[in-house]
């Protein structure tokens, strides 16, 4: 177990290193010039060169990267070019909001997706199944900003159940979480439906029925734990999908998370922030996958961590 | 009137239908029987005869929504089970009728402990305290003779062997003291020695509890071991019914006679030295396969650095010769290394030792160097459903080896494929169809045609008739022997079934734990078995004769010893004693 964790954490470090290299090189190759952004349009060539030298952007790529990496290893993510504050502080201020949003989204995904999947599988072929699958198809294929606007229109503007935007109370959390989670819920509904149908055909379900157990017990104790396993592995991957989703969702709902931060930084070519947000997201994905892998043997005793 | 009093259950005119694209198909058609208290009724029939559907109909567990009971009545304690509401039927299941299924490997829930699955069966229709439930569970596990019962409660199904799991299934089925136990092919997936244990266990429990048993099986040997009454089924209908004695000794219907005639009987070939249909002794001057000191070990990795810390000793230093026109049978139970040996002959597993095929040493050959060797040695697998690509026409499948080896093309190729199809008893037009359009026996014929396409010197047949019904099995065995008589091909016939082995082989090697415990001619092994294990295997084979004294209780023989050893483990080489005319016996008993 400890050996397994050590190996996985070692792998995680390598993955993060790789991501930092790729992101850094991509940002370097970007035609937009961050110095121009900082200096403004009216700056003289001399000022521009001064700023460039100050930020170390005149150095060759490998040296810039080496500087960045050595700072990173001592826990320093650098300073924002434009916001005049430490990137780590900016991210730390906004990360809790984003994490909260993700937790809300995962809760939506699981409750909506798994319920839909189980109900559809039990009623397969009937109208309930068809209706649910049409709904899941819509939630998978509709763009998130469309869903966001639709939800805002119906539940905030027309019905007034939830606030239009902002951050602070549980009511604020509902619509952004739904928007972010609906895509995954659609996927989970489809996955859960097909694995449940597969599981309900298994011999051990017939054994459970032959004992004279109630249908509810057969479903919850025997079928669902077996069907849920592939979903657990998916949650780790989902966190990666959320990272792109939150950029849209946070902008629409005015949610003060790292998605907004990233969006602003990309527009202004604020490289230290882009790097920081990318690395934090990568960390989240790596940790999410690791947790998913650690949880799997708790559900299925046949899985051994190697 | 006395017989009336003993009747526990009566089925009248059961019709079960399965929905299909056109009209509903009747899989059980007007079946009736009565079951007496404490007696065993065997429903015997080949695959597709509707015997499992009958059992599921009685349990109310037909696959939904495709199948349904269309008419008929199942009278039990004054009620018609088919007329019961789903909730009332649920109270019948487990409490009145328990059931054991064919596949012990998949019949238990993999994510729940044995204890949990047993407890919930005990408490399904009863309220008991936790200590009472546990006591009852331990008692049940003792009853089905599972050692270390308390520890088993915390184990998961994958930690138990197939035989153990089937014992757990029996414990679950009996947990609510049902009047009727339905056993659907309960020993088909088990090794023959384990089968003997399970069958005798069911008999013993039946005596203790007075449960009536409906045993569903394709194996007439099992029928003879178990049945008071027999019902022979074919295509959903009853062919014949009667006492076990009547069915075996005086069958009236042609189908019953044919079924009984097709059953290979151990000892039926006593006094002969050649296989059933052989017309000439093999050419013992020409060796087509020579194996010396073959050893196959698989590494197991573990620990922090994933180093090799254990090895599975699958095959441990075996040597044999196979001559042209000869059939050598490798016989043994699951895990004994017989299939691994077959695969080593085609260089499909890494091994040490020496193998030569038709005079060429194949150790360490690259895939491209193996290609000419594969013209001489081909393989037929166990599962004819899984070994044919469902997306290719069978003609293409049979032609493929010829194309790969560039042996034929154009009309020559077509002619050759047509010839092969006719040779295995299929019409040449069949070549343009797809695998799913054929029955299991026909598919195995196609596999044989494919293996024959390169005119190999040797065919490795790995459990090639095990999945087939007995009548089909007999036909395929005949076909294989006819081909041998005609072409002088040699077979390495890998099987767990002693009775089949006796029919087809010239020589026999009995394998146990990766080694030969005994090797000799068919007559030497079957008429004069020397090793304990060989004797045990033969004694375990069910004999299709109800008059033969039923074996008393077969005790639990313990689990097979593990073939996983530490890296440093180096086994003692086997020493063989020649008990006469090349009949070798391992010494001392392994």
């Amino acid at each position: 177990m400890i050996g397994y964790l050590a190996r996985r954490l070692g792998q995680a470090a390598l993955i993060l290193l790789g991501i930092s290299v790729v992101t850094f090189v991509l940002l370097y190759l970007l035609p937009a010039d961050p110095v121009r952004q900082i200096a403004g349009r009216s700056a003289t060539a001399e000022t521009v060169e001064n700023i460039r030298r100050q930020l170390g952007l005149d150095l060759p790529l490998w040296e810039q990267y080496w500087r960045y990496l050595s700072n990173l290893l001592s826990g320093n993510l650098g300073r924002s070019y434009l916001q005049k504050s430490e990137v780590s502080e900016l991210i730390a201020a906004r990360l809790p909001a984003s994490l909260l949003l993700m937790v809300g989204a995962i809760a939506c995904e699981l409750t909506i997706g798994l319920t839909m999947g189980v109900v559809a599988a039990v009623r397969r072929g009937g109208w309930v199944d068809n209706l649910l699958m049409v709904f899941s198809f819509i939630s998978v294929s509709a763009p998130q900003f469309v869903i966001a606007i639709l939800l805002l229109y119906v539940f905030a503007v027309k019905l007034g159940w939830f606030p239009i935007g902002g951050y602070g109370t549980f009511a604020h959390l509902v619509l952004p979480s739904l928007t972010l989670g609906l895509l995954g819920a659609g996927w989970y509904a489809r996955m859960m439906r097909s694995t449940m149908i597969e599981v309900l055909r298994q011999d051990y379900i017939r054994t459970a029925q032959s004992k004279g157990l109630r249908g509810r017990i057969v479903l919850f104790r025997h079928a669902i734990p077996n069907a849920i396993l592939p979903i657990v592995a998916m949650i780790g991957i989902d966190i990666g999908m959320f990272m792109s989703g939150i950029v849209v969702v946070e902008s629409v709902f005015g949610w003060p998370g790292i998605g907004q931060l990233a969006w602003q930084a990309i527009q202004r070519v604020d490289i230290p922030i882009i790097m920081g947000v990318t690395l934090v997201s990568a960390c989240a994905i790596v940790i999410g996958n690791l947790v998913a892998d650690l949880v799997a043997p708790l559900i299925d005793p046949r899985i051994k961590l190697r | 009137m006395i017989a009336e009093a003993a009747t526990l259950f009566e089925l009248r005119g059961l019709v079960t239908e399965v929905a299909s694209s056109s009209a509903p198909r009747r899989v059980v058609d007007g079946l009736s029987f009565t079951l007496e208290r404490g007696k065993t009724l065997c429903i015997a029939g080949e695959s597709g005869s509707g015997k499992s559907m009958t059992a599921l109909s009685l349990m109310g567990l037909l696959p939904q929504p495709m199948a349904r009971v269309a008419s008929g009545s199942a009278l039990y304690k004054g009620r018609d089970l088919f007329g019961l509401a789903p909730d009332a039927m649920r109270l019948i299941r487990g409490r009145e009728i328990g059931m054991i299924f064919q596949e012990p490997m998949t019949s238990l829930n993999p994510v729940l402990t044995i204890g949990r699955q047993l407890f919930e069966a005990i408490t399904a229709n009863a309220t008991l305290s936790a200590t009472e439930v546990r006591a009852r569970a331990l008692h049940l596990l003792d009853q089905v003779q599972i050692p270390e019962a308390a520890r088993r409660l915390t184990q998961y199904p994958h930690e138990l062997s197939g035989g153990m799991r089937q014992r757990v299934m029996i414990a679950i089925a009996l947990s609510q003291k049902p009047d009727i136990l339905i056993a659907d092919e309960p020993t088909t997936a088990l090794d023959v020695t384990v089968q003997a244990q399970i069958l005798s266990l069911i008999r013993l429990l039946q005596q203790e509890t007075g449960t009536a048993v409906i045993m569903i099986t394709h194996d007439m040997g099992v029928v003879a071991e178990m049945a008071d009454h027999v019902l022979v089924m074919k295509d959903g209908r009853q062919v014949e019914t009667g006492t076990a004695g009547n069915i075996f000794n005086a069958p009236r219907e042609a189908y019953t006679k044919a079924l009984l005639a097709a059953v290979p009987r151990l000892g039926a070939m006593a006094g002969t030295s050649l296989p059933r249909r052989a017309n000439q002794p093999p050419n013992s001057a020409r060796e087509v396969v020579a194996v010396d000191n073959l050893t196959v070990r698989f590494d197991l990795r573990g620990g922090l650095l994933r180093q090799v810390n254990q090895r599975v000793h699958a095959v441990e230093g075996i040597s044999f010769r196979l001559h042209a026109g000869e059939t050598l049978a490798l016989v043994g139970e699951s895990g004994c290394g017989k299939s691994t040996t077959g695969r080593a002959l085609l260089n499909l597993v890494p091994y040490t030792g020496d193998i030569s095929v038709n005079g060429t040493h194949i150790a360490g050959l690259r895939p491209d160097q193996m290609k000419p060797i594969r013209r001489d040695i081909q393989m037929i697998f166990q599962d004819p459903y899984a070994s044919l690509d469902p997306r290719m026409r069978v003609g293409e499948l049979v032609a493929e080896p010829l194309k790969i080896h560039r042996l034929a093309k154009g009309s020559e190729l077509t002619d050759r494929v047509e010839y092969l199809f006719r040779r295995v008893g299929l019409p040449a037009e069949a070549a343009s169809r797809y695998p799913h359009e054929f029955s299991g026996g026909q598919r195995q014929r196609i596999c044989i045609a494919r293996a024959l396409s390169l005119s190999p010197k040797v065919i490795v047949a790995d459990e090639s008739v095990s999945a087939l019904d007995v009548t089909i099995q007999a036909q395929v065995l005949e076909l294989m022997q006819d081909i041998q008589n005609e072409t002088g091909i040699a077979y390495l016939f890998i099987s767990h079934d002693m009775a089949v082995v006796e029919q087809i082989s010239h020589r026999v090697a009995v394998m146990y734990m990766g080694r030969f415990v005994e090797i000799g001619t068919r007559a030497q092994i079957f008429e004069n078995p020397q090793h304990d294990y060989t004797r045990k295997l033969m004694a375990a084979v069910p004999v299709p004769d109800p008059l033969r004294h039923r074996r008393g209780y077969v005790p639990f023989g313990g689990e097979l010893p593990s073939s996983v050893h530490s890296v440093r483990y180096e086994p003692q080489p086997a020493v063989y004693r020649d008990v006469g005319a090349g009949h070798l016996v391992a010494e001392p008993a392994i």
Side-chain angles (χ1 to χ4, degrees), chain B residues 141-142 144-152 164 167 556 558-559:
Chain B
L141 290 183
D142 281 342
V144 296
Q145 308 187 348
I146 291 183
E148 301 177 79
R151 188 165 69 87
R152 307 293 174 188
M164 280 293 191
R167 283 166 196 268
F556 175 58
E559 297 280 314

Side-chain angles (χ1 to χ4, degrees), chain A residues 173-196:
Chain A
L173 182 63
V174 175
L175 292 184
S177 305
L178 257 180
T179 312
L180 191 57
L182 220 48
L183 171 69
W187 280 119
Y188 285 176
R190 295 185 155 247
M191 265 181 78
M192 192 65 184
R193 177 180 180 273
S194 60
T195 46
M196 272 298 280

Side-chain angles (χ1 to χ4, degrees), chain B residues 82-160:
Chain B
F82 295 151
L84 293 181
D87 257 344
M89 190 60 215
R90 182 174 66 72
L91 294 175
I92 297 288
R93 283 198 290 271
R95 194 158 62 169
E96 312 283 357
I97 311 177
M99 187 158 176
I100 319 169
F101 301 93
Q102 174 169 357
E103 270 300 331
M105 304 315 263
T106 55
S107 290
L108 291 168
N109 192 330
V111 308
L112 298 178
T113 60
I114 301 298
R116 196 106 189 263
Q117 300 189 53
L118 193 49
F119 295 160
E120 70 174 7
I122 295 168
T123 55
N125 294 308
T127 321
L128 292 169
S129 75
T131 42
E132 284 171 325
V133 173
R134 198 180 148 79
R136 174 101 181 103
L138 290 174
H139 175 70
L140 282 164
L141 290 183
D142 281 342
Q143 250 189 329
V144 296
Q145 308 187 348
I146 291 183
E148 301 177 79
R151 188 165 69 87
R152 307 293 174 188
L153 292 179
T154 61
Q155 284 186 310
Y156 287 94
H158 70 274
E159 300 172 72
L160 269 56

